[in-house]
Amino acid sequence: MVETDPYSREREEMVEFQVRARGVRDPRVLAAMEKIPRHFFVPKGFERSAYEDRPLPIGEGQTISQPYIVALMTEQLELAPQDRVLEIGTGSGYQAALLAELAGRVISIERLSDLADKARENLARAGVTGVTVVVGDGTQGYPPEAPYDAIIITAASPSIPQPLIDQLAEGGRLIAPVGPRDCQDLIKLVKREGRVEEIPLGGVCFVPLIGQFGWRGEGSL
Ligand code: SAM
């Protein structure tokens, strides 16, 4: 049975007033955000807040990021339809769903297995194919499918984990929040001739990236 969509108007307004109006103009990114039902990716009871201009809790102390920040990071990845993408921090699966709309293959790593299970469920309900959710420490990357044309880290790290820079393809783009545990700078790296150019994109506040090449945390892998 096809589920009717009571939130299509809210989604259009989110794209117009939170995303396009703030300068994200890539038509493929805007179309993907108009298509993916964000309310499928928030916990039960939060559906009516899914299109608000803020992050929302998804359990385990984690969040689904603010729509504008998701849009900005996605646009800056400059994805082509055949690209292979690695996401660190699957969370709800919403960002991965957008990546799958824009690229050829998406691997998304989540350290918390309950969130990974829920994300797989959310992606299936939204009819998204082309995403493989892996449970593990994403700071180590995912060597079996490297190199990646694009890497997106959706949790904050004191520095960009070296394995991820190593697993970025020539010409590849990497986006990550980098800095202190509370708020950070959003950084874009572009790999050219084996060297990385660093482009700052502004201030953000993300939950911590916990792992071998990130922050130490309780129960860290
Ligand atoms: N991209 C997500 C979405 O669309 O809902 C939001 C991600 S949330 C802000 C950050 C996620 O990173 C959390 O789910 C957290 O468990 C995960 N995380 C933190 N450290 C990680 C690590 N080393 N490897 C994989 N995931 C990690």
Side-chain angles (χ1 to χ4, degrees):
M1 195 184 79
V2 176
E3 292 180 64
T4 55
D5 186 349
Y7 295 103
S8 53
R9 172 91 180 263
E10 275 91 339
R11 195 156 57 248
E12 269 172 42
E13 289 180 355
M14 171 191 82
V15 171
E16 184 56 32
F17 301 119
Q18 298 176 37
V19 175
R20 214 186 74 78
R22 286 185 180 134
V24 174
R25 298 287 160 82
D26 182 334
R28 292 181 69 229
V29 173
L30 301 178
M33 292 190 82
E34 271 180 23
K35 179 173 170 188
I36 299 297
R38 185 171 157 96
H39 59 282
F40 282 8
F41 293 86
V42 299
K44 260 200 174 356
F46 281 87
E47 290 89 345
R48 292 175 67 174
S49 300
Y51 297 95
E52 291 174 6
D53 188 14
R54 61 187 176 109
L56 291 171
I58 56 170
E60 312 257 350
Q62 306 303 322
T63 54
I64 174 172
S65 304
Q66 180 192 13
Y68 167 65
I69 296 297
V70 174
L72 174 68
M73 293 173 82
T74 307
E75 181 177 57
Q76 290 293 331
L77 286 175
E78 301 175 65
L79 297 173
Q82 72 283 1
D83 278 354
R84 182 186 297 265
V85 185
L86 179 67
E87 178 189 28
I88 314 304
T90 315
S92 67
Y94 176 67
Q95 173 76 72
L98 293 174
L99 298 173
E101 277 294 306
L102 299 167
R105 171 103 178 97
V106 179
I107 307 290
S108 183
I109 310 182
E110 172 55 57
R111 66 181 278 271
L112 301 172
S113 61
D114 285 356
L115 286 184
D117 288 344
K118 185 69 189 155
R120 288 189 194 102
E121 218 179 273
N122 296 342
L123 288 161
R125 182 174 169 216
V128 176
T129 55
V131 177
T132 302
V133 176
V134 175
V135 175
D137 175 9
T139 69
Q140 299 172 21
Y142 190 69
E145 300 231 13
Y148 300 95
D149 303 295
I151 299 179
I152 176 169
I153 311 178
T154 63
S157 191
S159 61
I160 297 178
Q162 187 61 42
L164 298 178
I165 297 175
D166 295 342
Q167 290 171 34
L168 193 61
E170 177 58 29
R173 294 80 55 202
L174 182 155
I175 311 279
V178 180
R181 251 184 125 108
D182 48 354
C183 285
Q184 311 83 27
D185 293 316
L186 193 58
I187 300 290
K188 175 175 182 175
L189 294 189
V190 181
K191 198 184 244 189
R192 290 199 183 98
E193 290 165 15
R195 299 166 66 156
V196 285
E197 182 192 342
E198 198 173 304
I199 304 154
L201 299 174
V204 286
C205 300
F206 272 82
V207 295
L209 181 75
I210 293 170
Q212 188 184 351
F213 297 94
W215 294 103
R216 295 221 161 272
E218 250 178 78
S220 102
L221 292 162

